[in-house]
Amino acid sequence: MHSIHLLIILAPLLAAVVVGFFGHRIGRAGSHWLTILAVGISFVLSSIVLYQLYWGGLEAENYKLYTWAISNEIAMEIGFLIDNLTALMIVVVSFVSLMVHIYTIGYMRDDPGYQRFFSYISLFTFSMLILVMSNNFLQLFFGWEAVGLFSYLLIGFWYQRESAILANLKAFLINRVGDFGFILGIAAIVMYTNSLDYVTVFANAENISSQNIEIFSGISWNAMSVVCILLFIGAMGKSAQAPLHVWLPDSMEGPTPISALIHAATMVTAGIFMVARMSPLFEYSETALSVVLVVGSFTAFFMGLLGVVQNDIKRLIAYSTLSQLGYMTVALGVSAYSVAIFHLMTHAFFKALLFLAAGSVIIAMHHEQDIRNMGGLKKYMPLTYFTALAGSLALIGFPGTSGFFSKDIIIEAVKHSHWMGQGIIYWISYLSVLLGVFVTALYTFRMFFLVFHGEEHMDNKTKKDLHESPPVITIPLILLAIPSLIAGWVTIETVLFNNYFEGAIFVTGLHNSLQGLASEFTGSFNFLLHSLKSSPVFYLSISGVATSWFFYIQRPDIKGMISLKLSGLRNLLINKYYFDDLWVKGFAAGGRQVGYFLWKKGDELIIDGLIVNGIANNIRQLALILRNIQTGFLYHYAFIMIIGLTFILGWLLWYR
């Protein structure tokens, strides 16, 4: 099996290298077939690994391939941890990546950077695979940073656009903020355990939790809380949690296939996966879990609200990603790590589907992305319509779809998190995830109705050319629509209630919010019926859809009046709570001003002006003065010598 594990990672890497260096020789067809074959191999082998682990009786494996270096008895190794968590993640990553690769053939067919794009997305897939398969923090950090690097290249793929360059720079820099916290967390782990290996670190978790750390004199913190919060700061950057979220909507400047890959199965899910993998650490710090819960709750609700005022179809879906990542983070905050991974899986399917459906619409509309300029596309693009409908229903958590099961179980997990008590944090988080259901349905079907229903707002030329996308685009939509609808049905019992993550995820008895739910679970259908009776998810989602239909189809004139009445709130949402201003005009511009001040006053005035040039100028002035003494007359020199001798003798006589 070791060779299979290695091939899962190496196949996309080798294909990316060949296409990157020799793409001009093997041509477009050779480039896409090679990368698709490589990712297809990764998917098939990943599926075999998953089957063998869960159904084939194969034990989880943790082994090293080789030792890269040893420093102060700390081994820096390359190795793999292959358990049920890893197996599920690599199947999801490779499947979604495969669909995106196939879709790219149609979407990027006329782009001059065709081969380069296929090389980049294969490298992106390789980075995510090595991240989730790692068994130590060094390899984890390598995959972590590699994902960030290739996202920079992909977001700025159309580098001729200034907006794309600004977007990839924003993504790169903001992720460095999160990664700074992440590497500090790893450094703290090494300080306490003298190891980078997961197993060794997890075995010392209790010892770390019993210690305190004093960062500032007289102020002491629990060491485990500090470690976990630092690690979570890294997750906030990668998984776009407020306030480190502002890069994600701007990543829409990249081509649609990479938007789907970033938002669905790679990069943004890396932070969620990392916290779940680190559950043996987070379980020893309720302080860290509370921080995770608060950040997730804020992101789930308030980032979802921003989707209501978005008109760019890709940015609207991007804000839905922010909200759903908030839901996953909330699940992590109540120790429902398995539920977070479950929602990560279902979300990967329907979010990739929605992005690819949006790309299909964008192609048909000649790259128009404003939903206000669309309408009535149902009759022109029936396949795109029904697949987009499947993705939209899954996103809002409509009963029976995969999103329903994962979202409902998150809400139930929060409801049953009794270990938190009934304080303000509990109620804020519970209300946030509940209200988020309504908001999600509102903005999702606002987009759906404005794009596929209602009046046609496109020009005659665009309308004349409208038609369904080719099979290379629609086939991935169909293949993603299937798990978006049924994945929840067929996997909820296996993933959540059959000890699937036993040994991979650690939850203390006190924090096990799923324990009560497991005793009540009697099958997917009964769970659905029970949720319809007792859970408000269905009614909130239906209310959101009905509200959207009323405002955007039945009475579109009313929304204008409401906007005027709520102009203050609308401006707040349009300006995205001014987070962009905080980062761009605050930190970035402030940093530039500080740099300009240090350049002008520190470098030019003090260092160059006073020190370097100042000393030189003073010596020059002194030399000019002394030069006047050099007359060339002997009697002048004799007179100066007499004066000097007089001063010396006077000084000696005075101090004697």
Side-chain angles (χ1 to χ4, degrees):
M1 291 296 289
H2 292 188
S3 58
I4 291 178
H5 303 157
L6 198 58
L7 191 56
I8 290 172
I9 286 180
L10 290 182
L13 175 63
L14 293 174
V17 171
V18 172
V19 172
F21 285 103
F22 306 104
H24 61 288
R25 294 188 178 181
I26 63 178
R28 291 183 166 227
S31 298
H32 69 236
W33 280 117
L34 181 60
T35 51
I36 289 171
L37 177 63
V39 177
I41 290 172
S42 292
F43 171 63
V44 171
L45 295 179
S46 298
S47 301
I48 292 172
V49 170
L50 178 62
Y51 178 83
Q52 290 293 337
L53 278 173
Y54 190 72
W55 290 281
L58 197 69
E59 296 292 326
E61 290 189 88
N62 181 22
Y63 62 94
K64 70 174 183 180
L65 291 173
Y66 66 92
T67 301
W68 178 56
I70 297 177
S71 177
N72 196 28
E73 300 183 352
I74 301 173
M76 303 178 189
E77 300 173 338
I78 305 298
F80 294 143
L81 173 57
I82 309 298
D83 55 15
N84 285 351
L85 175 59
T86 302
L88 181 64
M89 286 295 300
I90 60 177
V91 168
V92 172
V93 170
S94 57
F95 174 71
V96 174
S97 180
L98 178 61
M99 296 299 102
V100 170
H101 274 71
I102 296 171
Y103 179 93
T104 301
I105 298 174
Y107 192 89
M108 301 291 289
R109 62 185 178 186
D110 298 323
D111 197 282
Y114 190 84
Q115 293 97 319
R116 178 165 59 92
F117 188 81
F118 272 99
S119 177
Y120 285 175
I121 58 175
S122 287
L123 285 170
F124 198 62
T125 304
F126 154 75
S127 303
M128 190 64 188
L129 289 171
I130 201 168
L131 187 156
V132 299
M133 293 175 69
S134 61
N135 70 345
N136 63 84
F137 285 93
L138 177 69
Q139 191 174 324
L140 172 70
F141 189 72
F142 170 79
W144 192 269
E145 292 301 309
V147 166
L149 171 63
F150 296 123
S151 71
Y152 172 85
L153 297 175
L154 286 162
I155 294 169
F157 181 79
W158 288 321
Y159 55 84
Q160 300 89 347
R161 300 180 182 176
E162 185 178 354
S163 57
I165 298 301
L166 292 174
N168 71 356
L169 186 61
K170 181 188 282 188
F172 190 81
L173 292 178
I174 290 180
N175 270 278
R176 297 294 72 74
V177 175
D179 294 351
F180 182 67
F182 187 57
I183 199 168
L184 286 178
I186 294 175
I189 286 171
V190 174
M191 180 178 71
Y192 283 108
T193 65
N194 204 41
S195 176
L196 289 163
D197 182 68
Y198 288 166
V199 174
T200 304
V201 172
F202 296 161
N204 286 277
E206 192 170 356
N207 178 49
I208 299 173
S209 68
S210 65
Q211 300 187 53
N212 292 328
I213 185 171
E214 192 172 290
I215 301 175
F216 301 105
S217 180
I219 303 175
S220 180
W221 289 281
N222 179 263
M224 184 60 82
S225 296
V226 172
V227 167
C228 291
I229 290 172
L230 287 172
L231 292 176
F232 180 63
I233 290 172
M236 288 173 65
K238 278 288 183 288
S239 294
Q241 298 296 291
L244 302 181
H245 69 282
V246 296
W247 68 270
L248 193 63
D250 287 358
S251 69
M252 298 300 100
E253 291 294 336
T256 298
I258 194 55
S259 299
L261 198 54
I262 287 177
H263 287 243
T266 59
M267 190 157 177
V268 297
T269 61
I272 306 299
F273 165 80
M274 185 272 291
V275 175
R277 175 63 80 193
M278 300 300 133
S279 60
L281 302 181
F282 279 83
E283 282 299 285
Y284 285 97
S285 175
E286 291 191 358
T287 301
L289 289 174
S290 297
V291 171
V292 173
L293 182 61
V294 170
V295 171
S297 301
F298 182 89
T299 306
F301 178 67
F302 288 99
M303 295 302 110
L305 280 178
L306 297 180
V308 179
V309 298
Q310 297 300 311
N311 296 312
D312 184 295
I313 188 171
K314 288 175 64 177
R315 285 181 178 268
L316 195 156
I317 301 172
Y319 279 105
S320 80
T321 300
L322 287 175
S323 181
Q324 298 310 303
L325 288 168
Y327 273 89
M328 299 175 206
T329 306
V330 166
L332 296 172
V334 295
S335 295
Y337 307 99
S338 58
V339 179
I341 298 298
F342 183 54
H343 193 53
L344 183 156
M345 176 190 69
T346 61
H347 175 263
F349 299 136
F350 62 72
K351 186 50 56 71
L353 171 61
L354 282 173
F355 267 113
L356 298 188
S360 177
V361 169
I362 291 168
I363 292 172
M365 292 289 296
H366 302 297
H367 294 278
E368 172 64 64
Q369 295 186 193
D370 194 325
I371 59 177
R372 295 170 298 182
N373 298 329
M374 303 178 186
L377 292 182
K378 176 184 177 182
K379 65 180 180 182
Y380 301 102
M381 309 177 71
L383 266 177
T384 301
Y385 170 82
F386 284 110
T387 52
L389 177 61
S392 298
L393 291 174
L395 174 58
I396 71 170
F398 190 81
T401 63
S402 60
F404 167 79
F405 290 99
S406 58
K407 189 175 290 187
D408 189 77
I409 205 73
I410 289 174
I411 294 170
E412 289 295 315
V414 175
K415 184 179 178 181
H416 286 76
S417 56
H418 301 299
W419 59 272
M420 294 175 54
Q422 298 294 313
I424 186 68
I425 294 178
Y426 170 85
W427 287 111
I428 287 175
S429 59
Y430 187 56
L431 289 174
S432 294
V433 293
L434 279 180
L435 294 175
V437 175
F438 174 82
V439 173
T440 302
L442 178 63
Y443 66 68
T444 301
F445 273 84
R446 170 180 175 263
M447 173 191 69
F448 186 79
F449 290 141
L450 289 179
V451 172
F452 293 105
H453 292 275
E455 297 181 9
E456 299 175 359
H457 298 288
M458 64 286 286
D459 56 57
N460 291 327
K461 184 178 181 300
T462 303
K463 191 183 298 185
K464 185 180 178 181
D465 295 336
L466 280 174
H467 57 83
E468 185 60 86
S469 298
V472 74
I473 288 178
T474 55
I475 288 175
L477 294 181
I478 296 170
L479 293 177
L480 284 167
I482 295 170
S484 297
L485 294 174
I486 69 170
W489 282 98
V490 299
T491 61
I492 183 173
E493 184 171 5
T494 299
V495 174
L496 297 184
F497 302 120
N498 278 355
N499 297 321
Y500 175 83
F501 290 113
E502 187 176 6
I505 289 174
F506 172 73
V507 183
T508 63
L510 178 64
H511 294 174
N512 195 350
S513 53
L514 287 183
Q515 194 170 12
L517 294 173
S519 62
E520 299 172 0
F521 185 83
T522 56
S524 302
F525 185 73
N526 289 332
F527 177 83
L528 173 63
L529 293 179
H530 176 74
S531 297
L532 291 177
K533 294 177 183 177
S534 60
S535 175
V537 172
F538 170 70
Y539 305 100
L540 287 168
S541 61
I542 290 297
S543 299
V545 174
T547 304
S548 184
W549 173 82
F550 181 78
F551 284 134
Y552 297 99
I553 298 296
Q554 190 70 15
R555 291 291 304 277
D557 56 303
I558 296 180
K559 67 179 187 293
M561 294 185 292
I562 294 176
S563 295
L564 289 174
K565 296 276 188 186
L566 302 174
S567 58
L569 176 61
R570 186 172 182 275
N571 289 333
L572 181 65
L573 296 178
I574 289 175
N575 288 288
K576 297 168 280 189
Y577 309 119
Y578 299 97
F579 276 118
D580 280 69
D581 292 338
L582 174 66
W583 285 106
V584 178
K585 297 180 181 179
F587 290 108
R592 287 177 60 190
Q593 290 299 319
V594 171
Y596 184 83
F597 175 81
L598 293 175
W599 168 40
K600 286 295 184 181
K601 304 299 182 183
D603 189 28
E604 287 190 353
L605 181 62
I606 298 175
I607 297 175
D608 283 346
L610 295 179
I611 299 176
V612 179
N613 295 332
I615 293 173
N617 288 332
N618 290 334
I619 293 174
R620 181 173 177 271
Q621 292 298 323
L622 180 62
L624 289 173
I625 295 170
L626 294 176
R627 188 178 70 174
N628 294 326
I629 303 175
Q630 306 297 319
T631 62
F633 295 108
L634 184 61
Y635 65 89
H636 285 171
Y637 298 148
F639 181 72
I640 292 171
M641 290 173 65
I642 292 168
I643 293 173
L645 185 61
T646 302
F647 274 110
I648 292 171
L649 291 173
W651 184 82
L652 291 173
L653 290 171
W654 180 267
Y655 285 101
R656 187 177 179 182

